[in-house]
Amino acid sequence: MTSRRSRSRGEGGLEGRKILLAVTGGISAYKSAFLVRSLVRAGAVVRVLMTGAATRFVTPLTFEVLSGNPVPMDMFASRSDAPVEHVELAAWADAVVIAPATADFIGKVAGGLADDLPSAVVCAARCPVWLAPAMNDGMWDNPAVRRNIRILADDGRRIIDPGEGDLACGTRGAGRMAEPEHIISELALSFGPGPLEGVRMLITAGRTEEEIDPVRYISNRSSGKMGFALARHAAELGAEVTLIHGPVDVSPPAVSAVTRIGSSAEMKNAVSKAFPKCDVLIMAAAVADYTPASKARGKIRRGAGGMSLDLEPTADILAGLAGRKKDGQVVVGFALESEDGEASARRKGVAKGCNYIILNMIGDGTGFGTDTNRITVFRGKRKIAETGLVTKSEAASAILEILSKDRHVKKAAG
Ligand SMILES: Cc1cc2nc3c(=O)[nH]c(=O)nc-3n(C[C@H](O)[C@H](O)[C@H](O)COP(=O)(O)O)c2cc1C
């Protein structure tokens, strides 16, 4: 979790912040000049680094003038005041921002490479590292680039997703660097006391595994991505996050407390224990509805005929906890539906006593295992928001923005 400081801050939380901007070699390098100017105007102290390719697009002089600081280029230059410059720069920064982040540089950061001054500084940095990718839509869609982005997100790097629109290469699509104002507001938010500061959030993620015998189990395709995105964003917004997750396909974010469980019974125990101490419970985990009535001690052997498995329902954790929530506690459930989504979600939310229910339909690019989702949010029976097809990170932001405005959550945030 990002460490937060309590000193008073100026407008936007950027006053006095030390921002190290790494500019890499893409057309959008020109936008970084506006970024530097706006950061300086917001009170930040800015130092700029450039890759060799970046200097082909904008000169170091532009950034030196706008930032008021020199732009060092040579990692091996001899300097008496900072003999190991990349380490000094990395330790100096409150945040490193890579904008634009080229496909090439993204690959280097994901791989932990450090063969020039900007990549060595990023490699040595212990502060939050932000990347604003910018590239042609073909590059952005490239599976290797997507994989690198996932690695970076899993490593806790903050990705400011590119927008869609006209690209410098003449095509239209995703890959435009986020606008400087957007980058600045994300950064400022990360420094300021977030809207969820002081809120204790209990978030569940991933699937459960219900054992049939010592080698087999019943499970589902939940990857944990949605719950992890919620946990990561909630922590960024200041919440104290307890994450309880089952088996997953991605690494959990660094939040206040992380517990890994296996079965639905273990999930129930862990969540029931943590629930009384939370202000908000978000049940994003896909807990099995059924479990084998008995677990075979030894491996079940293959026989000549068919076989059937006796299943019994698992405890309904969401309904159980929502039914005994204290005044002011907020419970959020998820409904994954394949048909009749809105009606089912409304029914589920009301029947289980949730304050909010988030509907996601199984479909193209949505549901389990995907990086994207399309969500509809209900408060009680009332539909209050819906998104188009967005990344799970964006869906998480949308959900948390709604929650941060909830009167109980606001009260918990003090
Ligand atoms: C005109 C032009 C525009 C380019 N724009 C981009 C871009 O927007 N994004 C990108 O990832 N690469 C872009 N490239 C390719 C990079 O400049 C190239 O991969 C370079 O090696 C990146 O080096 P760096 O990551 O060290 O800055 C562009 C190349 C040229 C010639």
Side-chain angles (χ1 to χ4, degrees):
M1 196 166 117
T2 311
S3 64
R4 278 155 219 283
R5 296 175 226 179
S6 56
R7 71 186 167 91
S8 68
R9 295 170 191 111
E11 182 217 308
L14 283 165
E15 182 76 42
R17 297 296 180 185
K18 291 176 277 183
I19 309 296
L20 195 68
L21 174 68
V23 182
T24 68
I27 291 279
S28 342
Y30 79 92
K31 282 191 186 174
S32 304
F34 295 96
L35 181 57
V36 173
R37 200 181 56 178
S38 306
L39 282 168
V40 170
R41 279 187 181 160
V45 185
V46 184
R47 285 164 86 173
V48 180
L49 298 173
M50 301 176 79
T51 60
T55 64
R56 307 288 292 266
F57 294 87
V58 183
T59 66
L61 183 62
T62 304
F63 290 112
E64 285 183 356
V65 171
L66 290 173
S67 69
N69 282 309
V71 177
M73 292 293 307
D74 180 3
M75 182 156 62
F76 298 100
S78 134
R79 277 189 50 190
S80 52
D81 52 334
V84 190
E85 195 169 20
H86 63 281
V87 176
E88 182 263 330
L89 284 166
W92 171 85
D94 291 325
V96 174
V97 181
I98 306 163
T102 55
D104 173 71
F105 202 79
I106 285 168
K108 281 171 81 168
V109 181
L113 301 186
D115 69 349
D116 59 8
L117 191 55
S119 57
V121 169
V122 173
C123 194
R126 291 184 193 277
C127 61
V129 173
W130 298 75
L131 293 101
M135 63 199 72
N136 152 272
D137 54 342
M139 290 171 110
W140 182 242
D141 286 340
N142 181 303
V145 174
R146 306 316 299 228
R147 191 164 54 242
N148 287 333
I149 290 285
R150 282 197 296 276
I151 290 172
L152 290 170
D154 290 348
D155 287 349
R157 309 306 195 186
R158 287 109 191 262
I159 312 293
I160 306 176
D161 285 335
E164 283 197 23
D166 293 330
L167 301 172
C169 53
T171 56
R172 256 187 91 74
R176 272 166 73 102
M177 186 174 102
E179 295 307 318
E181 311 81 67
H182 180 56
I183 297 174
I184 287 191
S185 74
E186 292 269 331
L187 259 179
L189 195 63
S190 78
F191 285 125
L196 296 179
E197 197 81 38
V199 179
R200 295 164 305 166
M201 282 213 167
L202 175 57
I203 299 177
T204 68
R207 51 189 181 262
T208 61
E209 289 177 354
E210 311 299 315
E211 288 190 28
I212 299 169
D213 67 14
V215 293
R216 303 183 181 92
Y217 58 82
I218 300 174
S219 192
N220 57 60
R221 295 182 202 277
S222 171
S223 62
K225 288 176 185 171
M226 191 65 231
F228 282 4
L230 281 162
R232 183 177 301 117
H233 277 280
E236 281 170 12
L237 296 177
E240 184 190 312
V241 179
T242 298
L243 174 63
I244 300 177
H245 71 86
V248 281
D249 301 341
V250 285
S251 344
V255 295
S256 303
V258 180
T259 305
R260 189 188 156 121
I261 54 84
S263 65
S264 58
E266 286 170 15
M267 175 68 92
K268 178 173 180 266
N269 284 344
V271 179
S272 306
K273 213 163 132 197
F275 182 66
K277 287 176 256 133
C278 81
D279 302 307
V280 180
L281 165 68
I282 306 183
M283 281 291 291
V287 180
D289 292 321
Y290 290 92
T291 191
S294 61
K295 181 189 152 193
R297 278 173 181 230
K299 184 184 166 207
I300 301 171
R301 295 200 179 280
R302 184 191 174 98
M307 79 163 280
S308 58
L309 203 56
D310 201 7
L311 300 178
E312 62 184 21
T314 57
D316 189 333
I317 305 174
L318 182 60
L321 295 177
R324 62 183 164 88
K325 65 180 189 299
K326 291 186 301 241
D327 244 17
Q329 261 185 322
V330 174
V331 172
V332 183
F334 268 74
L336 178 71
E337 307 287 346
S338 54
E339 57 202 29
D340 196 19
E342 295 207 357
S344 305
R346 280 193 173 97
R347 261 197 313 273
K348 182 172 173 180
V350 173
K352 296 191 188 232
C354 299
N355 302 73
Y356 296 86
I357 193 101
I358 318 290
L359 164 68
N360 47 131
M361 296 294 290
I362 300 168
D364 242 9
T366 61
F368 287 168
T370 60
D371 288 325
T372 45
N373 222 346
R374 196 188 297 274
I375 56 157
T376 311
V377 183
F378 297 89
R379 183 166 46 220
K381 275 189 178 172
R382 204 160 70 83
K383 187 202 290 193
I384 56 167
E386 61 189 325
T387 67
L389 189 66
V390 291
T391 62
K392 286 192 170 166
S393 167
E394 287 166 330
S397 287
I399 294 167
L400 292 169
E401 194 184 331
I402 290 170
L403 288 180
S404 64
K405 290 181 186 142
D406 180 282
R407 68 190 168 93
H408 296 303
V409 178
K410 275 182 158 168
K411 208 166 159 199

